[in-house]
Amino acid sequence: QVQLVESGGSLVQTGDSLTLSCVASERNFRAMGWFRQAPGKEREFVAVWNWGNNRPYYADSMEGRFTLSRDRAKNTVWLQMNSLKPEDTAVYYCAAGDPILTTLKRETSYKYWGQGTRVTVSS
């Protein structure tokens, strides 16, 4: 069973930057990345690294502000978030699994999930 451990969540101010990290206990999946769930809302896709074609995919609304990086040897991905806004406030979940390209942004495509790390952006 793959275990995912997130870290880096914090209380920050509007405009700040923050980097989240996720470490997997083993390498047994094709993609690894992030979803988030804001208070009162459904969980939504943020970004994922697809090791199948070795490139990241982003939610349209976050591309440009968020950058995903990875270290395959360390089973780790980092999500750098810039110019944070109050609407970025959410619990950020690391996810890993074997989606195909057309299902990369669906949470049902991911078998493994972390416990979440909270990001709060104050105005």
Side-chain angles (χ1 to χ4, degrees):
Q1 180 76 6
V2 175
Q3 294 185 338
L4 304 176
V5 179
E6 307 106 330
S7 62
S10 181
L11 169 63
V12 297
Q13 295 184 338
T14 298
D16 284 353
S17 297
L18 192 65
T19 299
L20 307 181
S21 65
C22 177
V23 181
S25 60
E26 56 186 276
R27 190 186 311 171
N28 188 25
F29 41 81
R30 191 164 52 235
M32 183 174 175
W34 297 89
F35 286 72
R36 72 183 185 183
Q37 187 167 21
K41 296 187 178 181
E42 294 185 352
R43 191 153 52 184
E44 65 174 343
F45 171 76
V46 175
V48 67
W49 195 280
N50 181 20
W51 271 288
N53 59 6
N54 202 29
R55 59 152 290 187
Y57 292 82
Y58 298 94
D60 292 342
S61 62
M62 299 166 207
E63 191 161 13
R65 290 196 301 126
F66 292 6
T67 302
L68 194 64
S69 58
R70 86 291 181 211
D71 186 327
R72 185 64 159 148
K74 295 181 179 179
N75 299 335
T76 300
V77 293
W78 294 273
L79 179 68
Q80 180 179 346
M81 305 182 291
N82 297 324
S83 302
L84 284 164
K85 308 173 184 179
E87 50 264 44
D88 294 316
T89 294
V91 177
Y92 285 70
Y93 294 93
C94 183
D98 296 304
I100 58 176
L101 288 179
T102 55
T103 66
L104 273 172
K105 299 182 179 182
R106 300 179 191 173
E107 64 175 293
T108 54
S109 297
Y110 296 85
K111 181 177 181 179
Y112 307 108
W113 291 86
Q115 292 300 307
T117 186
R118 186 175 300 275
V119 174
T120 303
V121 184
S122 65
S123 57

